[in-house]
Amino acid sequence: MQERILEILSEYCEEALTYNGDSMMEDGIIDSFTVINVVSDLEDEFDIEIDAKYVIAENFRNKEAIIALVQKLLEE
Amino acid sequence: MQFISYSFVILWMITFALYYLLPKRMQWYVLLAASLIFYGVGLGGFPLNLLLTGVTTYGCGIYIKKALEQEKEARKQCVDREQKKTVKAAFQKRRKRVQILYMAFNLGLLVFYKYAVIAVPVIETLMGRHAGFLEKVIMPLGISFYTLTAISYVVDAGRENCEAETDFLKVLLFLAYFPSVTQGPFNRFSQMKEQFAGEHGFSYDRMLRGIQRFVWGAFKKLVIADRLGIFVDRVYGVEAASVSGSIYACATVLYMLQLYADFSGYIDMASGVSETFGIILPDNFRRPYFAKSVAEFWRRWHITLGAWFKDYVMFSFVMSGTGRRLGKACKNKWNGYGRQAVPIMGTMLVWFFTGIWHGRTVSYMLWGIYYGLIMSVSLVLEPFYESWKERLPVKGKHGERIWTFIRMARTWLIVFLADVLIRSGSLAQAGAIYTSFVTRLHIGSLLSSEITSYGLGRYDFLLLIPVLLIWLAVSAAEERGLDVRTVLAGRPAVIRWACYYGIVLMVLITGIYGGSYDTAVFMYQSF
């Protein structure tokens, strides 16, 4: 699962894979367009629905946070 | 009540004294009382609209909180995932209905006050009589700011990104907090709740840092913004045909700086005041003129407004049923570009609303559409940028610097063209100014005596050079990650205090005041 998430992420922003900080959106690594496209692909790939409430900077602060979000939604 | 006024300084000092002298559990009451006094005095009356927004926001928050608790209870009884989904959808529908009513009421108030000025004369003309209604309508101070702040609270409560508050007075403090009530930044409840509830001990360093930031804001406002404003107002105030294109270009560049100095100056002052109480407001500016693209510019300018529109308009639309359906329908169309259709629609929506939030004229609407189109075109062209860059002779470290400068200059040009639109008194004037850039630029005007005939004398221009250089140096240091106040604190006392006194003296001696040291009004207050 992690590998597939990273593949999706790298499709839109390779820099996100090497980013080590914790505010990827504020630091301009990913913008809202990337987030929307990544969310759409993650929904299709894992058959989950990512509500607007999850689309916050906190859940997209780095690649680990995105993986954790998907994991949480899969467990729900 | 303006920040730059005797009455504000007195209010700040009394609030500060009571805040640290009274028991710590009383601190937030002190801030609430100060906020209501600040707001009431500024409004010149009873803050009915603010209270209405406060009551409805509090009520809606409580409803959401209870509905969420009931939903959790109901979900516990569910036996499978499908049943849970059904229960969730049913509760979501109920919450959404109340939220829509809440937003209709509060946005209705905002639209009424913003657009009554336009709508009432039209209605009166149609009815054929003047009822004098408009004279009685006074736009509530900061309504554009506290309404959006209140909506963020309700939406966040619904999204479970913050827990709704059970104490009405705490909700009221969140909306009315005096450093940010009139011009922002847009606070989020999740960031402010703990800070308001926390008990803050007195700290000399924190007080000093707060005052430093306040004075720096006053420097930007009074020494830079209001001085530049004299020239800009005069140039834009005369008949378009009589001014050369280069003078208009100069006035527009100075307007870009004026708007930034004015608004960021206000934010520095607001953040400085708040810092003295131990409450940190969110950043609203991060040196926007260092941006290398328009998207980056708007990530650095009025950050909290951009974040508000992104979170509550863009993502709400894209993640809605309609947004998802459109996304699925377009995804594989137009050679792969279809997947950008919904983000582009969201962007256009955001920028349309950003435009009409800023002003009630067609110029602001066009200004919003202009930025929306630029962002959307950038999104489509983004994959080509790298290949275009490869073809340019900008290689190596030196080449990268040139490339960065080119990108920054392109951003300045885009902002420059947009600012002509919003600074002009009408679309006709904006059109005449754009034409003047092409048909009668007359660069020589900038070096002739004409430049000093618009309110700013030779000495004002000479003063602006070092003043703007100081501002640039501070910005460049911050851009490199330095905190100038911390750097100063580490310098010998003589240098440190020379800098402090230097800035204070510049504000007092070279600041532009009205009839007394009591009359500076901020530009963003009118939004």
Side-chain angles (χ1 to χ4, degrees):
Chain A
M1 182 196 76
Q2 288 193 13
E3 273 177 24
R4 189 62 199 120
I5 294 172
L6 296 180
E7 267 174 37
I8 290 171
L9 200 52
S10 68
E11 203 178 308
Y12 299 101
C13 178
E14 280 191 17
E15 218 181 321
L17 301 191
T18 51
Y19 177 75
N20 290 319
D22 61 356
S23 49
M24 204 150 61
M25 285 179 87
E26 284 95 339
D27 290 346
I29 305 295
I30 56 168
D31 56 19
S32 36
F33 299 122
T34 308
V35 170
I36 291 165
N37 284 323
V38 168
V39 163
S40 168
D41 284 4
L42 289 175
E43 286 184 330
D44 290 347
E45 180 69 29
F46 298 104
D47 191 26
I48 50 174
E49 192 171 300
I50 303 178
D51 279 350
K53 72 176 183 183
Y54 296 117
V55 188
I56 50 172
E58 172 75 8
N59 288 330
F60 288 83
R61 63 185 186 276
N62 51 36
K63 59 181 186 295
E64 288 81 14
I66 300 173
I67 293 167
L69 172 67
V70 174
Q71 254 163 356
K72 182 185 159 187
L73 291 172
L74 282 170
E75 283 162 15
E76 258 190 10
Chain B
M1 191 185 289
Q2 299 294 336
F3 275 3
I4 299 166
S5 65
Y6 295 128
S7 48
F8 178 77
V9 174
I10 291 166
L11 177 71
W12 183 13
M13 285 165 68
I14 293 172
T15 309
F16 185 82
L18 290 175
Y19 190 79
Y20 290 111
L21 287 174
L22 289 173
K24 288 193 177 80
R25 62 190 154 76
M26 305 281 288
Q27 286 180 326
W28 72 270
Y29 288 107
V30 174
L31 293 181
L32 178 62
S35 299
L36 293 178
I37 292 168
F38 174 84
Y39 194 84
V41 172
L43 193 70
F46 185 71
L48 180 66
N49 282 283
L50 177 68
L51 284 177
L52 271 177
T53 299
V55 168
T56 51
T57 304
Y58 169 73
C60 196
I62 291 294
Y63 174 84
I64 289 168
K65 188 181 167 75
K66 288 195 172 152
L68 283 169
E69 284 165 4
Q70 286 167 2
E71 184 189 326
K72 270 173 199 151
E73 280 305 310
R75 276 162 65 103
K76 275 184 196 165
Q77 316 296 325
C78 296
V79 287
D80 58 29
R81 209 176 165 187
E82 277 310 304
Q83 211 178 355
K84 276 184 184 175
K85 267 188 178 176
T86 315
V87 167
K88 187 183 166 188
F91 274 96
Q92 245 175 4
K93 202 173 172 184
R94 272 173 54 187
R95 287 201 306 270
K96 211 171 252 181
R97 240 182 259 156
V98 175
Q99 282 181 328
I100 288 170
L101 269 176
Y102 164 83
M103 283 188 209
F105 176 75
N106 282 289
L107 287 174
L109 277 179
L110 176 62
V111 170
F112 169 75
Y113 282 109
K114 273 206 143 179
Y115 290 91
V117 175
I118 299 171
V120 171
V122 174
I123 295 167
E124 285 183 342
T125 309
L126 289 174
M127 287 169 64
R129 69 191 183 93
H130 176 68
F133 176 68
L134 201 57
E135 285 79 21
K136 292 173 196 153
V137 177
I138 302 164
M139 182 141 150
L141 194 66
I143 188 169
S144 302
F145 288 88
Y146 71 69
T147 303
L148 297 198
T149 302
I151 287 173
S152 80
Y153 168 84
V154 166
V155 176
D156 282 353
R159 288 178 177 174
E160 296 178 83
N161 289 334
C162 77
E163 194 184 345
E165 177 57 57
T166 51
D167 188 334
F168 168 68
L169 294 180
K170 285 185 176 165
V171 175
L172 192 60
L173 172 61
F174 170 62
L175 298 181
Y177 183 48
F178 73 98
S180 56
V181 67
T182 53
Q183 286 186 70
F186 291 99
N187 302 319
R188 299 287 176 97
F189 194 65
S190 54
Q191 294 166 344
M192 303 304 286
K193 186 182 178 176
E194 296 303 322
Q195 296 201 75
F196 285 142
E199 296 184 349
H200 305 273
F202 173 77
S203 155
Y204 173 76
D205 286 344
R206 197 173 61 212
M207 180 191 74
L208 192 64
R209 283 177 66 84
I211 293 171
Q212 285 166 354
R213 189 151 183 201
F214 183 87
V215 173
W216 177 242
F219 171 80
K220 285 202 266 183
K221 165 69 180 161
L222 294 169
V223 181
I224 302 174
D226 287 359
R227 177 164 277 101
L228 297 175
I230 296 170
F231 182 82
V232 175
D233 289 350
R234 287 277 183 93
V235 173
Y236 271 85
V238 296
E239 186 63 39
S242 62
V243 183
S244 62
S246 58
I247 295 286
Y248 269 130
C250 176
T252 309
V253 169
L254 296 189
Y255 175 64
M256 288 161 70
L257 295 174
Q258 181 203 358
L259 194 57
Y260 177 36
D262 189 284
F263 193 19
S264 68
Y266 174 89
I267 294 295
D268 282 335
M269 294 169 89
S271 301
V273 171
S274 193
E275 200 171 343
T276 61
F277 300 117
I279 291 170
I280 306 299
L281 296 180
D283 283 343
N284 216 25
F285 288 94
R286 246 190 339 251
R287 302 160 297 283
Y289 290 116
F290 283 93
K292 295 178 279 298
S293 68
V294 177
E296 190 188 349
F297 177 84
W298 283 102
R299 279 200 301 273
R300 288 165 171 259
W301 178 287
H302 209 342
I303 297 166
T304 56
L305 178 72
W308 194 97
F309 276 108
K310 186 182 72 197
D311 289 348
Y312 305 114
V313 178
M314 175 86 154
F315 290 150
S316 294
F317 167 71
V318 174
M319 304 297 162
S320 68
T322 312
R324 284 174 195 275
R325 276 193 295 278
L326 279 169
K328 284 208 164 72
C330 301
K331 199 169 185 175
N332 299 316
K333 289 186 176 166
W334 308 304
N335 223 3
Y337 287 105
R339 66 178 311 123
Q340 305 295 12
V342 173
I344 286 174
M345 282 182 224
T347 303
M348 292 306 296
L349 208 59
V350 162
W351 279 99
F352 176 76
F353 285 125
T354 305
I356 57 172
W357 180 87
H358 273 89
R360 46 197 163 202
T361 61
V362 178
S363 299
Y364 275 103
M365 210 182 283
L366 290 175
W367 173 86
I369 292 170
Y370 166 83
Y371 275 119
L373 284 174
I374 287 178
M375 302 275 195
S376 304
V377 170
S378 308
L379 179 66
V380 175
L381 295 181
E382 203 178 349
F384 303 105
Y385 286 154
E386 275 305 308
S387 64
W388 291 346
K389 188 191 159 194
E390 288 302 312
R391 286 181 213 164
L392 290 170
V394 284
K395 305 280 184 288
K397 203 177 168 184
H398 194 57
E400 277 299 326
R401 277 193 192 148
I402 294 171
W403 179 239
T404 300
F405 181 77
I406 291 170
R407 294 178 70 200
M408 281 166 67
R410 180 193 58 182
T411 308
W412 299 335
L413 180 66
I414 291 168
V415 176
F416 171 92
L417 293 173
D419 281 2
V420 170
L421 198 58
I422 55 166
R423 184 58 190 83
S424 299
S426 64
L427 283 179
Q429 190 193 14
I433 293 171
Y434 291 130
T435 310
S436 76
F437 296 150
V438 182
T439 58
R440 47 171 211 288
L441 194 58
H442 304 151
I443 294 283
S445 304
L446 294 174
L447 300 171
S448 72
S449 58
E450 190 187 346
I451 194 86
T452 52
S453 63
Y454 295 101
L456 285 193
R458 201 164 152 244
Y459 291 107
D460 281 304
F461 280 107
L462 284 175
L463 175 72
L464 277 170
I465 295 169
V467 161
L468 291 176
L469 284 175
I470 291 172
W471 189 20
L472 178 65
V474 170
S475 301
E478 287 174 344
E479 192 62 16
R480 287 205 310 273
L482 294 173
D483 178 58
V484 176
R485 288 179 292 174
T486 308
V487 172
L488 268 181
R491 293 281 177 270
V494 179
I495 297 174
R496 200 166 67 230
W497 285 97
C499 289
Y500 298 159
Y501 280 118
I503 294 288
V504 170
L505 285 174
M506 282 189 92
V507 172
L508 292 175
I509 297 168
T510 65
I512 301 290
Y513 298 89
S516 64
Y517 283 85
D518 203 19
T519 45
V521 176
F522 289 89
M523 296 166 85
Y524 248 74
Q525 201 165 294
S526 58
F527 293 138

